[in-house]
Amino acid sequence: MMALMASEQPYHHGDLPEALLAATAEAIDELGVAALSLRDVARRAGVSHAAPAHHFGDKQGLLTAFAAQGFEWFADALETVAGEAAGVSSVERFNALGRAYVGFSVSHKAHFEVMWRPDLCDHYDVVVSEPAGRAFRALQHGVEAMQDEGVATGSPTEDVMIAAWSLVHGLSWLVLQQRLEIFGEVDPEDLAERINRVLFPG
Amino acid sequence: MMALMASEQPYHHGDLPEALLAATAEAIDELGVAALSLRDVARRAGVSHAAPAHHFGDKQGLLTAFAAQGFEWFADALETVAGEAAGVSSVERFNALGRAYVGFSVSHKAHFEVMWRPDLCDHYDVVVSEPAGRAFRALQHGVEAMQDEGVATGSPTEDVMIAAWSLVHGLSWLVLQQRLEIFGEVDPEDLAERINRVLFPG
DNA sequence: TGTACATCAGTGAACGCGCGTTCACTGATGTAC
DNA sequence: TGTACATCAGTGAACGCGCGTTCACTGATGTAC
């Protein structure tokens, strides 16, 4: 303990994998995902440039772990919101899910970008597909609950699910890609609620 | 003419800018936009690696021209479809727009990806923003026409516009990101129609 | 029709750079006895 | 409590590579007279 406090740079980091993931988020936020390099990530975490390979193997390994972390947080966020909205109507509950979906994409821009790019990370790795599946099911349950309550029963459940997903996913990308500037300053979560009301007026 | 036919490799290309844009699409389709390099594009077009600089300046210049070409084709496609569907109901016309939107994203994957990425090209360059505006207005007119016919009048026009745009844009990305595989083999344009019917049952 | 000349398009060699990956190493930690 | 040893984490030098950009150049074209 004394030794650790005395030395500014302990040889062992403590939790380097976590620090590298945080550095990855920082680097992507700053320079964009296209410019991401392992050396820059290591630099930001204050370790030698060979250190990341020790934990993640190679660049794709790092990005797969990064996407996995993102999907874990994302699924947790959706499940939490669905749990908290257990008492309200199914439409209000789906509204909350939509707000959370878009809210996550804005507050975790770097993660969100990598999460959906199959060219950057390994989507078939279970560390990614498992939490991705959880997130999907959270949305799906939201849609099914609405249909159980008689909302949007004019279309097959599958169509409603794809429509609802497209709606929140599309809004997320339009916001991230700065395409809604023409509508002035708008809060993305409020927007999610407004467009959800168009899809599910019930 | 004889000379041109006799020599396999004429010194002057004929339309190198166009050939370089086509090579860009090919390279992105094959390797992903993250791996795009000017040298590879030149190689594919069969010219020296210094040639692209002559026409586009630098890499961002090439991608800006590429996005501009994409938006021109995109706007043309939407306007053509809207014109052809002048006789049908506004809901059917918007359906056609949605099919065209998603159809374009699938048949011009490389262009679509670059078009929406502000980190790769200059969105404020008028060669991009002009056709992008045309595409936007084509969608907007489609939405306004529906409201004029009494469809989706429960929400403000702006909300309906953002919802409709999010819907088709989101579906496009979900398809490109291979996220709808879980629903089996589906035709993207048919999907567009199905989810449009959820949003505008009228 | 022919000649001179300006302009444009594409070349190819050269540059310096940051990258990912490898590898033998050393420092630190934890466990067995 | 102390010692020996195995294991793990991070180092730093080295490698070869493809990249974007520059620059003096040459080949081709088109226009003026």
Side-chain angles (χ1 to χ4, degrees), chain A residues 93-123:
Chain A
R93 202 178 322 136
F94 192 81
N95 249 325
L97 282 168
R99 292 184 75 105
Y101 197 109
V102 177
F104 179 90
S105 76
V106 172
S107 61
H108 298 85
K109 188 174 187 301
H111 283 88
F112 196 80
E113 277 191 53
V114 176
M115 282 157 64
W116 304 100
R117 288 195 47 187
D119 54 325
L120 294 181
C121 66
D122 181 5
H123 271 202

Side-chain angles (χ1 to χ4, degrees), chain A residues 1-11:
Chain A
M1 185 57 170
M2 284 285 285
L4 197 147
M5 289 176 67
S7 112
E8 301 266 328
Q9 307 260 73
Y11 192 92

Side-chain angles (χ1 to χ4, degrees), chain B residues 12-68:
Chain B
H12 283 93
H13 184 282
D15 193 357
L16 185 53
E18 185 59 38
L20 289 170
L21 293 177
T24 300
E26 189 186 297
I28 294 177
D29 280 337
E30 210 167 293
L31 306 169
V33 69
L36 185 77
S37 81
L38 282 184
R39 289 175 102 106
D40 184 38
V41 168
R43 220 173 285 135
R44 287 168 192 268
V47 292
S48 89
H49 63 262
H54 204 75
H55 294 282
F56 299 111
D58 56 16
K59 198 175 175 180
Q60 170 163 298
L62 172 69
L63 286 174
T64 298
F66 189 69

Side-chain angles (χ1 to χ4, degrees), chain A residues 11-22:
Chain A
Y11 192 92
H12 285 92
H13 184 281
D15 192 357
L16 185 54
E18 185 57 39
L20 289 171
L21 293 177

